[in-house]
Amino acid sequence: MTLTAPAKQLAPPTPPRPQAALRAWRTLSPYAYIAPFFTLFAAFGLFPLIYTAFVSLYRVELQTPGDMEWRGLGNYTALLEDEFFWTSLRNTFTIGVLSTVPQLVMALGLAHLLNYRLRGRTFLRTAMLLPYATSVAAATLVFAQLFGRDFGLINYLLGLTGFDPVDWQTGTFASQIAVSTIVIWRWTGYNALIYLAGMQSIPSELYEAAEMDGASRWRQFFHVTLPGLRPTIVFTTIVSTIGATQLFGEPLLFEGSISGGISHQYQTLGLYMYEQGWGFFHLGRAAAIAWVMFLLIVVLVGVNALIARRRSAKEAGR
């Protein structure tokens, strides 16, 4: 008698995954990962930009935002005829130069010192960020007291050296220096750490070769450090230019006036936009000012990038 083993029951074959769906997933999956960023950017960046451009073409008041009257370019032409717009534009440029140039020069010098092997380097690098971590309101209120006309520490020190007290909040140039000092104090350490990071990325072989050729520390700084920091310097210049164009908190809190002083002597474009929108309730004109600031930033950044590119091309052709 022959026994026959029962036939082994095979599981049904798994249907193959459609190739079209697999290819579609491989194509779309990268976009699914970056979709949250672009969604947030469209909601909080792109839409406000487009809507602000739309509002700038209408007469809109803060009390009745639903009542919109078509003006076309009327808000922009009204800005060109307003003397306070040109005053705020001039003040923005002046304060920007007074705060950006010394700030970047001082930051470069501090980074150069911190790049050496000093005792307490970690503490000094951490202390550089303390002004940046300080609240804008707190820093501005403290500096407003320091620059007080009658009881300010700055005028007290000037009096010890034989100088007359300065009215830092009324004088045009004096008030702009005071506001620029606040900006310099807050951002110098931040830029110094950026420069320090750039210096540490420069190969040490370049310094060793320069030292073997007999180059002094100053020559090494000008011929090795500065060329190696050129991309970093361009970056900090562009960021500082954007920040100077958008300057708002320091001039607002320096005296607590949205007009930037009794004669608008330190009113910036950001403060002028706030005055028009939330002081005079002209939302359409405030939106036009916002777009003028945006176009101004684009032009300034383009000029900085063009100058940096031409200088790089000139040095590369030597």
Side-chain angles (χ1 to χ4, degrees), residues 115 199 202-212 220 224-225:
N115 198 30
M199 290 179 182
I202 300 176
S204 59
E205 293 81 4
L206 298 178
Y207 292 101
E208 295 174 358
E211 188 175 359
M212 292 180 62
Q220 294 179 26
V224 178
T225 304

Side-chain angles (χ1 to χ4, degrees), residues 118-150:
L118 301 175
R119 290 185 177 179
R121 285 189 305 172
T122 304
F123 171 76
L124 294 175
R125 293 173 182 177
T126 306
M128 286 292 177
L129 280 179
L130 292 180
Y132 173 71
T134 306
S135 169
V136 179
T140 305
L141 292 177
V142 169
F143 273 89
Q145 297 297 321
L146 293 177
F147 284 102
R149 183 185 63 180
D150 298 324

Side-chain angles (χ1 to χ4, degrees), residues 20-308:
L22 184 60
R23 286 195 300 267
W25 169 249
R26 290 177 178 175
T27 303
L28 297 178
S29 59
Y31 298 98
Y33 292 123
I34 63 176
F37 166 77
F38 285 102
T39 302
L40 294 175
F41 173 75
F44 300 102
L46 188 60
F47 172 75
L49 187 67
I50 297 176
Y51 185 73
T52 302
F54 171 76
V55 172
S56 68
L57 303 177
Y58 289 85
R59 183 194 301 274
V60 187
E61 301 299 323
L62 183 62
Q63 303 93 329
T64 56
D67 298 335
M68 305 178 68
E69 179 184 348
W70 173 259
R71 291 201 64 189
L73 298 178
N75 288 324
Y76 295 92
T77 56
L79 289 180
L80 300 179
E81 297 172 357
D82 188 0
E83 62 174 332
F84 294 125
F85 166 74
W86 295 106
T87 300
S88 62
L89 180 62
R90 182 175 61 251
N91 293 340
T92 301
F93 175 78
T94 305
I95 296 176
V97 172
L98 290 175
S99 60
T100 301
V101 176
Q103 172 194 150
L104 296 183
V105 172
M106 293 171 59
L108 191 60
L110 289 173
H112 186 61
L113 291 177
L114 292 176
N115 198 30
Y116 291 108
R117 296 185 178 276
L118 301 175
R119 290 185 177 179
R121 285 189 305 172
T122 304
F123 171 76
L124 294 175
R125 293 173 182 177
T126 306
M128 286 292 177
L129 280 179
L130 292 180
Y132 173 71
T134 306
S135 169
V136 179
T140 305
L141 292 177
V142 169
F143 273 89
Q145 297 297 321
L146 293 177
F147 284 102
R149 183 185 63 180
D150 298 324
F151 305 103
L153 179 62
I154 305 299
N155 279 340
Y156 174 75
L157 296 177
L158 290 176
L160 294 179
T161 57
F163 291 94
D164 295 330
V166 179
D167 194 350
W168 296 101
Q169 295 182 341
T170 305
T172 300
F173 190 63
S175 60
Q176 292 178 1
I177 290 179
V179 173
S180 301
T181 303
I182 306 173
V183 180
I184 293 172
W185 180 82
R186 290 197 69 241
W187 291 98
T188 298
Y190 175 82
N191 288 309
L193 291 183
I194 294 179
Y195 286 147
L196 179 61
M199 290 179 182
Q200 292 180 344
S201 65
I202 300 176
S204 59
E205 293 81 4
L206 298 178
Y207 292 101
E208 295 174 358
E211 188 175 359
M212 292 180 62
D213 291 339
S216 61
R217 288 291 179 89
W218 280 108
R219 288 186 174 273
Q220 294 179 26
F221 177 76
F222 283 106
H223 296 285
V224 178
T225 304
L226 288 183
L229 280 180
R230 183 171 292 111
T232 308
I233 294 175
V234 172
F235 169 77
T236 55
T237 302
I238 292 176
V239 172
S240 299
T241 301
I242 295 174
T245 307
Q246 298 176 336
L247 191 63
F248 173 75
E250 289 83 352
L252 174 64
L253 298 172
F254 181 63
E255 195 182 3
S257 171
I258 62 175
S259 60
I262 57 176
S263 59
H264 298 254
Q265 66 268 18
Y266 59 89
Q267 185 182 51
T268 59
L269 283 174
L271 203 55
Y272 177 67
M273 178 185 66
Y274 184 83
E275 181 186 42
Q276 292 294 322
W278 282 263
F280 300 148
F281 311 127
H282 304 322
L283 292 184
R285 184 173 295 187
I289 299 170
W291 259 88
V292 169
M293 294 173 60
F294 172 74
L295 296 177
L296 181 62
I297 290 173
V298 171
V299 171
L300 293 176
V301 171
V303 170
N304 286 330
L306 182 62
I307 293 175

